[in-house]
Amino acid sequence: MRTRGFVAIFATILKYLCLIVLAVSFIFPILALVTASFRPGRDLLRYGITFKSIIPDSLDPKNFVALVKSRDGIYLTWFKNSLFLTILQTVLSLFFSSFVGYGLAKYHFRGRNTIFVIVLFVMMVPLQILMLPLYKLTAALGIMNTYLGVLLPFIVSPFAIFFFRQYAIGIPNDFIDAGRVDGLGEFRIFFKLITPLMAPAYGAMAILLAQQSWNNFLWPLIVMRTGNMFTLPIGLNSLLTPYGNNYDMLIAGSCAASIPIIIVFFFFQRYFISGLSAGGIKE
Amino acid sequence: MKASSYYHSQKLVPYVFVLPFLISIAVFYVYPIIGTIIMSFQQVVPGQTHFIGLANYKRVISSDFLTALKNSSIYTLLTILILVPGPIILAVLLSKGPSHMNNALRAAFFIPSLVSVVVAGTLFRLMFAANGKAVVNAMLAWFGLKPVDWILGGARQAMFLMVLVAVWRWTGVNIIYFLAGLQAIPEDLYDAAAIDGAGPLNKFFHITLPLLRPTIIFVTTISIFGGFAMFEESYVLWQGVSPNNFGLTIVWLIYQKGFQLGDMGTASAIGLVLMVIVFTLSLSVLNLFGFFKREE
């Protein structure tokens, strides 16, 4: 028994050694990004990320100063656009998707199964192939180059509906019946009783939806036409010209663009696995 | 059944609940899909759009399309081969042991997925820059290898880079899915197996893998959707112009035709072909896993 104990301890140490090496290699590019953002842009353009930029001899914050100051602080405008769109899209999407998901889970009505099949079907359609008609529709509605144009088509997320439906199925009907006995209306039951019960689901989906929205690329690339309406990914992409000398702004901007979403992750992290496991991917 | 009479008395309420979905589906999915189908048979020119039969579909079978299809297919296959087994093993390793340690490791794997594609693409471009000083080539030099032109050097290097970015960004997400799946496996199954003298490998192959099947199906299916929908990674890696189409994917081709060359008809036709491919593939995968067999 004793040697077995030693073997077990050795195995555990080996396991964590491997895991830590692997985890560090996943984090390495992010650390390289952070240190590179303190290096002169022209070096990056010429040599890429080098060991010298990863372990710099000096840290010069002037890229970040340039970020705020250059081109009349357009980076701050992009940041503001991204923040505004992400918050609005996440909140609206959480609200509508949980509303619909709960309705599909807890009511029996004609057409319910059909609607659920449509949800699954729509999840399968590659959104990119809808871009052309959506573009025409957005243009016809006169909401090109507006926040509304970016938000409107994707407020209701089929993936999130599916997820909330699975989660709501797990909530015992007794809660709902108790609410009815107390004379609450159907919508009050949802808002007063059910939403608090779905907190872990909201936490998990908040991370995924905020991440999607913050990093959304193709649709805003199509809708937003002028620099002052760009979101961060579109703005940063516009700096990526082969002949450009915008690498100061690009690299520091990439660094600063990644921070808010990492904060959101750590904020909701404790809900993440519990929220996902209680709903979603169980059959 | 007692509760159901309650529900039936509320005839209208359920429809109010699903109304937002119905409206948004009708306007932003059904209408565009029909629009795509119609456009795929049209020559779309502002002011004088007209039907041209199957001409767009004939135009689909071009060398660019075949390159894009090949790239997207290889990319999807490789990402599934790596991003399903890898995260399963990592999730199993991270599901037991000291929780603080596991949480920190999990976060380390997950953080890359929070970074925008544009940032990830830029980062990998800079790390894999062609000159000998850039970090990856500098590491190769330790082993006496010559610097590689990762971005423009050839189709293999390009594919390697695209898959690497995908692995970097999605490993953490898939770990989370599999961890969630693992939580649903009852602990007593493992206890019972331990009593029967099963070792860790035995438990993994006879309990963990079979019971993870729903999650494996889920992850494989979304990987097919994601793989064939890939556009942004290569668009950013090659800054919008890929010489010799090393990084060309189907969706990039749609973007190129529809928005850069203004040929919305052909772009729509390619989109529909893509949709058929994705549907067929994901349904066959689901079928292969026995998803449609009722298990009662």
Side-chain angles (χ1 to χ4, degrees):
Chain A
M1 279 319 268
R2 196 173 204 171
T3 47
R4 235 181 126 171
F6 281 123
V7 171
I9 290 170
F10 182 72
T12 311
I13 291 173
L14 194 69
K15 166 184 143 185
Y16 279 102
L17 213 59
C18 293
L19 283 173
I20 288 169
V21 169
L22 201 59
V24 167
S25 62
F26 269 74
I27 289 298
F28 175 79
I30 305 222
L31 297 177
L33 171 72
V34 174
T35 53
S37 63
F38 291 96
R39 301 289 303 164
R42 63 189 143 75
D43 285 5
L44 287 170
L45 181 62
R46 192 182 303 163
Y47 301 117
I49 288 177
T50 61
F51 279 109
K52 204 180 153 203
S53 73
I54 292 170
I55 311 155
D57 34 27
S58 64
L59 294 176
D60 186 355
K62 83 174 182 348
N63 290 348
F64 288 95
V65 178
L67 206 56
V68 183
K69 287 198 174 153
S70 74
R71 293 169 63 189
D72 300 325
I74 196 159
Y75 182 83
L76 294 180
T77 312
W78 296 341
F79 203 97
K80 192 196 75 197
N81 291 341
S82 269
L83 202 62
F84 177 75
L85 280 168
T86 299
I87 291 173
L88 209 60
Q89 182 146 33
T90 307
V91 170
L92 288 174
S93 205
L94 283 177
F95 171 75
F96 283 113
S97 307
S98 61
F99 191 76
V100 175
Y102 168 78
L104 280 174
K106 287 298 179 190
Y107 291 95
H108 297 269
F109 57 96
R110 277 176 76 102
R112 179 176 85 149
N113 288 337
T114 317
I115 293 176
F116 186 57
V117 169
I118 297 175
V119 172
L120 292 177
F121 177 79
V122 167
M123 272 172 66
M124 284 194 185
V125 178
L127 284 177
Q128 289 82 350
I129 75 155
L130 304 181
M131 293 298 155
L132 304 158
L134 273 182
Y135 165 81
K136 289 170 92 181
L137 181 68
T138 311
L141 291 172
I143 50 173
M144 286 300 280
N145 206 27
T146 64
Y147 294 130
L148 197 62
V150 173
L151 281 179
L152 205 53
F154 302 108
I155 284 180
V156 177
S157 151
F159 178 74
I161 290 177
F162 178 64
F163 178 80
F164 278 112
R165 174 198 177 262
Q166 300 300 94
Y167 200 91
I169 283 177
I171 295 172
N173 285 336
D174 306 355
F175 283 101
I176 302 166
D177 292 335
R180 291 194 179 116
V181 171
D182 287 349
L184 290 179
E186 296 298 306
F187 298 108
R188 300 266 321 234
I189 289 174
F190 173 73
F191 290 114
K192 290 253 163 185
L193 299 180
I194 303 300
T195 48
L197 291 174
M198 296 208 289
Y202 282 111
M205 272 296 117
I207 293 182
L208 289 177
L209 291 171
Q211 173 214 22
Q212 260 172 33
S213 178
W214 183 257
N215 296 331
N216 197 3
F217 185 71
L218 183 56
W219 184 239
L221 179 69
I222 292 166
V223 173
M224 295 311 202
R225 315 306 309 185
T226 56
N228 66 326
M229 292 304 287
F230 284 176
T231 58
L232 280 172
I234 313 304
L236 291 173
N237 182 60
S238 74
L239 299 175
L240 263 174
T241 52
Y243 314 102
N245 48 2
N246 292 314
Y247 271 64
D248 305 306
M249 223 175 139
L250 177 69
I251 201 78
S254 297
C255 191
S258 307
I259 292 163
I261 199 72
I262 292 177
I263 292 174
V264 169
F265 170 69
F266 281 111
F267 194 72
F268 287 109
Q269 192 200 9
R270 65 200 173 96
Y271 291 122
F272 203 42
I273 292 196
S274 64
L276 276 177
S277 65
I281 38 205
K282 274 194 275 176
E283 263 173 334
Chain B
M1 273 292 101
K2 191 178 66 135
S4 92
S5 62
Y6 262 112
Y7 301 151
H8 285 298
S9 70
Q10 317 262 355
K11 276 233 150 65
L12 200 65
V13 172
Y15 294 101
V16 177
F17 272 104
V18 294
L19 195 64
F21 173 72
L22 292 178
I23 295 175
S24 111
I25 285 304
V27 179
F28 298 112
Y29 288 86
V30 177
Y31 168 79
I33 288 176
I34 295 171
T36 307
I37 295 172
I38 294 173
M39 271 202 284
S40 75
F41 295 106
Q42 286 176 329
Q43 173 106 42
V44 185
V45 184
Q48 43 180 349
T49 297
H50 58 277
F51 283 91
I52 51 168
L54 289 170
N56 288 327
Y57 286 91
K58 284 184 191 142
R59 240 173 273 161
V60 168
I61 315 293
S62 63
S63 61
D64 276 3
F65 176 76
L66 293 176
T67 309
L69 182 64
K70 196 181 112 203
N71 286 344
S72 287
S73 308
I74 296 175
Y75 174 82
T76 307
L77 185 69
L78 289 176
T79 47
I80 290 174
L81 287 179
I82 297 169
L83 281 170
V84 175
I88 291 181
I89 294 166
L90 289 171
V92 169
L93 292 177
L94 288 173
S95 65
K96 297 215 169 57
S99 67
H100 281 290
M101 185 72 162
N102 286 342
N103 283 343
L105 287 167
R106 215 171 64 199
F109 287 117
F110 191 79
I111 282 173
S113 78
L114 299 169
V115 171
S116 131
V117 184
V118 178
V119 176
T122 307
L123 205 45
F124 277 74
R125 253 188 92 84
L126 292 173
M127 291 198 308
F128 285 79
N131 68 82
K133 284 190 176 179
V135 63
V136 174
N137 279 338
M139 283 185 194
L140 288 182
W142 296 345
F143 302 100
L145 296 167
K146 288 205 180 86
V148 175
D149 188 349
W150 296 97
I151 312 282
L152 305 174
R156 283 193 177 187
Q157 289 89 315
M159 183 59 68
F160 174 79
L161 215 50
M162 289 190 277
V163 173
L164 192 69
V165 173
V167 170
W168 186 64
R169 293 188 69 228
W170 294 106
T171 298
V173 178
N174 289 359
I175 287 177
I176 301 282
Y177 287 135
F178 286 121
L179 275 173
L182 286 174
Q183 282 196 346
I185 300 176
E187 198 57 40
D188 17 328
L189 285 179
Y190 292 106
D191 298 341
I195 291 167
D196 291 346
L201 279 181
N202 241 321
K203 287 185 199 164
F204 177 76
F205 284 109
H206 291 109
I207 302 174
T208 311
L209 268 191
L211 288 174
L212 267 186
R213 210 185 62 178
T215 320
I216 296 174
I217 295 174
F218 173 80
V219 173
T220 310
T221 325
I222 58 170
S223 303
I224 295 175
F225 303 158
F228 277 97
M230 196 274 263
F231 155 70
E232 301 163 346
E233 282 86 342
S234 53
Y235 185 78
V236 175
L237 275 173
W238 281 273
Q239 302 190 344
V241 247
S242 177
N244 303 322
N245 290 334
F246 290 151
L248 187 74
T249 65
I250 299 182
V251 173
W252 189 349
L253 191 64
I254 296 175
Y255 181 78
Q256 226 176 54
K257 296 267 187 221
F259 290 99
Q260 292 176 325
L261 303 173
D263 185 358
M264 295 223 177
T266 309
S268 299
I270 298 173
L272 287 170
V273 172
L274 171 66
M275 196 164 103
V276 171
I277 293 173
V278 171
F279 270 34
T280 318
L281 270 179
S282 47
L283 290 180
S284 348
V285 165
L286 289 175
N287 196 30
L288 194 74
F289 277 110
F291 190 74
F292 300 112
K293 273 183 246 149
R294 280 286 123 228
E295 286 175 18
E296 291 102 289

